[in-house]
Amino acid sequence: MPYKHAHYFVGAVLLVIFGGFWASYFSVVNGPMPLAFHVHAVTSMAWLMLLIAQHVSIHQRANAFHKQMGLASFVLFPLLMLGFVMIINVTADRFVAQESEFIAYAGPKFGGALAIALVAYCTLFYLALKNRRKVKLHAGYMLATPMILFESPFSRLMDQYIPWLNVIRTEGPHEVMSSIAFSDLMMVALAMGLYFMDRKNGAPWLVASCFMAFQALFVWFAYSIPGLDSVFAAYAAIPESATLVAGLAAGAAAGWLGWRAGGAPARPVAAPA
């Protein structure tokens, strides 16, 4: 089976989540905070733990358990997308309310970056299911999803504890954008390294790299995109129920369409004698 030690990487991303969000979430988890934070945290960590369970089980030839976790992903993945949309909605509400100078500047950038991550997740999950009969591709697409998640906690971890690591650091409110971009570029470097190690089966890492590079460029140059604030304000005006249903539907559609696309090829029908 490919990527024998990948569960250590996924576990490391879990530790980065705890470190990056310790001050803003885990240390104050019992305090008042939006439900969106809890949903996003629980579903994101559950997704990583599901990947670890799938990876370890298939390497230990526990195929039945691996399949059970695969079926569980059809339920968890739409909830993961729901969590992303809930965070986008909270950010949009805070932007419209002009909660602070920082959110007035960064809100649309955060919203756009989250939307890119959501599309990336759906694409990777769809391709993982479509290629489930090709072991290396299936594993690669599933294991690429933590790369998309990495930038959010690591950018916070870097700002809090290792700011010297960010060699593209900027000043003022744009500083957090440079942290996100640098975190994305770190994962792009890792993904492209994996791609060049096995280009025949490297499509998952190439797809993930494209999304992460696009996200990095977006957050870096978003301040100069005309009309971005207006678009985000228009999004905030959409009924929350509609956006939440859309998030769930996107996750469910990625699973359903990927499963259908990866079905066994139709057997040729014999011509009548």
Side-chain angles (χ1 to χ4, degrees):
M1 302 302 295
Y3 310 114
K4 181 178 180 181
H5 303 294
H7 55 288
Y8 293 118
F9 165 72
V10 181
V13 176
L14 264 174
L15 292 177
V16 169
I17 289 175
F18 279 108
F21 287 102
W22 178 258
S24 61
Y25 179 74
F26 292 105
S27 65
V28 292
V29 70
N30 292 325
M33 63 178 63
L35 175 63
F37 289 8
H38 299 305
V39 174
H40 182 54
V42 170
T43 55
S44 295
M45 290 188 295
W47 180 256
L48 295 179
M49 288 186 284
L50 180 142
L51 291 180
I52 292 173
Q54 280 194 307
H55 186 266
V56 172
S57 63
I58 199 64
H59 276 268
Q60 294 184 350
R61 296 294 188 260
N63 292 2
F65 183 73
H66 180 82
K67 289 180 180 180
Q68 289 174 349
M69 291 295 98
L71 293 174
S73 72
F74 283 95
V75 177
L76 178 57
F77 190 78
L79 296 177
L80 179 66
M81 296 302 98
L82 175 69
F84 270 94
V85 173
M86 291 178 74
I87 293 293
I88 295 174
N89 290 351
V90 168
T91 306
D93 291 341
R94 289 178 168 177
F95 172 72
V96 170
Q98 296 290 287
E99 188 176 273
S100 66
E101 291 185 10
F102 175 76
I103 201 66
Y105 174 83
K109 289 81 170 172
F110 286 156
L114 284 164
I116 294 169
L118 189 151
V119 174
Y121 259 102
C122 287
T123 302
L124 292 170
F125 188 52
Y126 165 82
L127 291 172
L129 293 175
K130 180 181 179 181
N131 292 280
R132 65 185 181 274
R133 300 176 188 278
K134 301 173 183 177
V135 175
K136 288 187 176 181
L137 289 178
H138 173 71
Y141 283 119
M142 291 295 283
L143 292 170
T145 56
M147 291 183 166
I148 306 299
L149 181 64
F150 179 81
E151 60 79 16
S152 181
F154 189 78
S155 62
R156 288 164 171 79
L157 187 68
M158 186 165 52
D159 283 342
Q160 295 171 39
Y161 303 109
I162 45 176
W164 53 266
L165 182 62
N166 184 2
V167 297
I168 61 172
R169 180 169 296 280
T170 54
E171 299 296 330
H174 194 69
E175 182 178 347
V176 68
M177 303 305 157
S178 68
S179 297
I180 293 172
F182 185 76
S183 300
D184 271 328
L185 294 177
M186 285 179 61
M187 282 296 101
V188 169
L190 174 59
M192 290 306 296
L194 291 168
Y195 169 75
F196 284 111
M197 287 172 63
D198 182 12
R199 284 187 288 179
K200 180 181 178 181
N201 300 289
W205 314 117
L206 196 59
V207 172
S209 292
C210 289
F211 276 111
M212 292 184 293
F214 178 60
Q215 188 182 63
L217 289 171
F218 172 81
V219 296
W220 187 263
F221 293 106
Y223 71 91
S224 62
I225 299 177
L228 181 61
D229 289 7
S230 299
V231 170
F232 200 50
Y235 172 86
I238 301 173
E240 185 177 25
S241 58
T243 59
L244 296 181
V245 168
L248 281 170
W256 172 248
L257 294 174
W259 185 262
R260 290 289 301 274
R267 295 181 180 179
V269 178

